[in-house]
Amino acid sequence: MFALLPALALLAVSASAQNTSSTVTERDIEGLEANFKQAQLVPQLISDFEPEALLSVSFGGQAISIGDKLDKDAVASSPELTVSPAPDHDLDAGALYTVLMADANAVGTDQNVTEQTRHWLVNGVSLSGDTAPYTVNYTGATTITDYAGPGPFEGTGSHRYVIAVYEQGSDFAAPANLSTSGVALGTWFLSGYVSESKLGDLLTANYFQVENGQATSTAEATTSVDSATLAAAASTTGASGSAASGASATSGSASGASGAGTSATSAAASASGSSGAGAASGAGKTGVAAGMIMGAVGVVGAVVGAAL
Ligand SMILES: *[C@@H]1O[C@H](CO)[C@@H](O)[C@H](O)[C@H]1NC(C)=O
Ligand SMILES: *[C@@H]1O[C@H](CO)[C@@H](O)[C@H](O)[C@H]1NC(C)=O
Ligand SMILES: *[C@@H]1O[C@H](CO)[C@@H](O)[C@H](O)[C@H]1NC(C)=O
Ligand SMILES: *[C@@H]1O[C@H](CO)[C@@H](O)[C@H](O)[C@H]1NC(C)=O
């Protein structure tokens, strides 16, 4: 019903100057890939990422750019998500997807050793609309873990929150302890979940960053990287990228709000403590501190916001 026909894609491209939000180019897809590599999310967290679409993430109607550094208050409630397929990709009508958000902690964290924090997990979502961007539709979906806004521990660096949309084929089978609603925020290995539950391809993803206070590592810095390093990106608009890095400077120094953030995380940790996940989470935080020195180069707030 909403499959994107090639003819529609061509129409969309020709209208791009007026309506970039519904138009995806190859450059956008390459930019998404580059950002995930630059942020050390690929291959560290996601071994293989060939996006077939862009994921627009909006909090309170405000769309983020990939890698934006945001205040935790701005991301306390679940975002609105839309999906816009790449020019050469159709989306199957009636297909189901899994939406999740995972905290990959600061750059330098060993994702094989430190579990990610599961902040959101919804199985069986669909995509609605006659044309891109398609709206993520939760009718008939199962929310395993309700969206829980970021609350990183103080001094643990700039956490990377990845929102991912996986294809959920007919052989998908939720693990027994993640198959019904109401499972509290906890930690897990994202890659373990994906393989165990037989999720399909990662359709698309996006990420943002939240930091609580000053990192205990001296070298912590979040830098904007000019995606001119992408051959195809040479002629793009850099305006949204600059805006994003300006915003990150502002929100990154907001250390006053640490109390609320810490308590949110602590509450979450104790909620999952009964299953043993809390202990793993504690170990993870220690790992973060050690890893941050390696991650001092920082994460991108790059320049690929045009279609987001
Ligand atoms: C842009 O695309 C959206 C979604 O398809 C549509 O609702 C909107 O009317 C379009 N705006 C313009 C100016 O074409
Ligand atoms: C993490 O595990 C994967 C798969 O076992 C492996 O390919 C990768 O090299 C590991 N990464 C690190 C940093 O050890
Ligand atoms: C979401 O999906 C349901 C079931 O397919 C449909 O009835 C509803 O109109 C959709 N919502 C939107 C906003 O498209
Ligand atoms: C679910 O069970 C697996 C073992 O199959 C365990 O590793 C994991 O921590 C459990 N997750 C939760 C949320 O209890």
Side-chain angles (χ1 to χ4, degrees), residues 115 118 177-178 183 187 196 275 277:
E115 290 185 314
R118 183 185 63 257
N177 59 8
L178 287 172
V183 181
T187 61
E196 188 186 345
S275 66

Side-chain angles (χ1 to χ4, degrees), residues 13-304:
V13 166
S14 68
S16 65
Q18 272 69 44
N19 199 347
T20 53
S21 68
S22 61
T23 304
V24 175
T25 65
E26 282 304 327
R27 179 189 63 77
D28 296 327
I29 298 295
E30 288 165 12
L32 176 57
E33 288 177 17
N35 269 280
F36 268 66
K37 283 182 185 148
Q38 181 69 36
Q40 300 182 31
L41 292 165
V42 173
Q44 287 86 343
L45 175 68
I46 298 160
S47 58
D48 187 30
F49 184 26
E50 294 174 13
E52 297 164 23
L54 291 189
L55 177 63
S56 170
V57 174
S58 299
F59 289 95
Q62 188 73 41
I64 70 166
S65 295
I66 303 174
D68 268 358
K69 194 159 178 182
L70 301 168
D71 192 279
K72 72 177 180 54
D73 294 338
V75 295
S77 300
S78 62
E80 307 85 51
L81 305 180
T82 63
V83 170
S84 298
D88 56 347
H89 277 89
D90 292 345
L91 297 175
D92 293 332
L96 295 180
Y97 302 88
T98 286
V99 169
L100 58 84
M101 183 164 95
D103 177 7
N105 295 306
V107 166
T109 305
D110 187 340
Q111 306 298 330
N112 287 356
V113 172
T114 303
E115 290 185 314
Q116 297 83 47
T117 303
R118 183 185 63 257
H119 279 260
W120 198 18
L121 178 60
V122 190
N123 297 136
V125 307
S126 57
L127 297 176
S128 285
D130 294 326
T131 176
Y134 301 108
T135 304
V136 171
N137 184 329
Y138 302 98
T139 302
T142 304
T143 300
I144 308 298
T145 298
D146 282 326
Y147 179 86
F153 285 118
E154 190 167 7
T156 54
S158 190
H159 288 228
R160 299 161 296 167
Y161 296 87
V162 175
I163 299 178
V165 180
Y166 283 90
E167 292 170 358
Q168 185 185 309
S170 55
D171 56 349
F172 169 79
N177 59 8
L178 287 172
S179 60
T180 56
S181 296
V183 181
L185 172 153
T187 61
W188 64 351
F189 286 111
L190 173 60
S191 61
Y193 174 76
V194 168
S195 58
E196 188 186 345
S197 64
K198 298 190 168 57
L199 279 175
D201 289 344
L202 177 54
L203 177 74
T204 183
N206 202 329
Y207 88 100
F208 62 92
Q209 303 177 72
V210 177
E211 181 168 13
N212 180 359
Q214 293 289 311
T216 50
S217 158
T218 52
E220 176 69 15
T222 302
T223 53
S224 234
V225 170
D226 191 340
S227 67
T229 50
L230 292 173
S235 66
T236 66
T237 56
S240 60
S242 320
S245 67
S248 76
T250 310
S251 60
S253 58
S255 58
S258 59
T262 303
S263 68
T265 307
S266 303
S270 59
S272 60
S274 57
S275 66
S281 174
K285 301 302 176 190
T286 308
V288 170
M292 277 188 326
I293 292 149
M294 293 172 55
V297 174
V299 180
V300 208
V303 173
V304 203

Side-chain angles (χ1 to χ4, degrees), residues 2-15:
F2 53 72
L4 183 62
L5 302 171
L8 279 177
L10 288 172
L11 280 175
V13 166
S14 68

